[in-house]
């Protein structure tokens, strides 16, 4: 099984990694991307592991970084990731991606 990531979620992931590389270190940026990979691997193995949120979506929080993956369960396609959201920024900004 695989997964899909919304283009804007992919941008968020890239922007966060660039931020960590520029403001912390390249090692921290790599750790952030490794954490994303760990989360995605876990979701691929068990899409039901994240708690429910609005609209039938689910969320899964990173362990080491203040980010959350917002995703939809898809038995056929694997998790459909709509956002890689910073936990302290504008909640729900990603909602319009789900309908698009």
């Amino acid at each position: 099984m695989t997964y899909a990531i919304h283009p804007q979620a992919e941008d968020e992931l890239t922007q966060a990694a660039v931020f960590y590389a520029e403001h912390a270190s390249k090692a921290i940026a790599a750790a952030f991307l490794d954490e994303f990979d760990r989360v995605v691997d876990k979701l691929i193995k068990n899409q039901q592991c994240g708690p429910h949120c609005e609209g039938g979506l689910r969320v899964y929080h990173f362990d080491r970084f203040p980010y959350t993956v917002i995703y939809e369960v898809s038995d056929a396609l694997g998790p459909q990731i709509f956002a890689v959201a910073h936990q302290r920024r504008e909640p729900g900004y990603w909602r319009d991606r789900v309908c698009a």
Side-chain angles (χ1 to χ4, degrees):
M1 187 177 295
T2 185
Y3 72 99
I5 185 167
H6 191 280
Q8 289 175 296
E10 193 166 12
D11 288 345
E12 291 164 350
L13 181 67
T14 301
Q15 290 172 11
V18 167
F19 176 86
Y20 283 122
E22 291 176 350
H23 293 89
S25 71
K26 289 182 181 179
I28 297 296
F32 173 77
L33 294 172
D34 288 345
E35 178 69 1
F36 174 78
D37 290 341
R38 183 194 69 78
V39 167
V40 169
D41 287 345
K42 187 165 188 165
L43 296 178
I44 288 170
K45 291 176 186 165
N46 180 7
Q47 294 186 66
Q48 309 301 321
C49 65
H52 290 278
C53 74
E54 60 192 78
L57 299 175
R58 290 181 176 261
V59 298
Y60 197 88
H61 305 292
F62 284 31
D63 285 342
R64 294 183 55 200
F65 296 89
Y67 282 84
T68 298
V69 169
I70 293 96
Y71 69 101
E72 181 176 49
V73 172
S74 171
D75 292 332
L77 303 172
Q80 304 297 292
I81 298 171
F82 290 104
V84 180
H86 192 284
Q87 295 167 359
R88 298 190 193 276
R89 294 192 190 134
E90 195 180 344
Y93 69 88
W94 45 266
R95 285 183 186 108
D96 63 332
R97 298 178 193 173
V98 178
C99 298

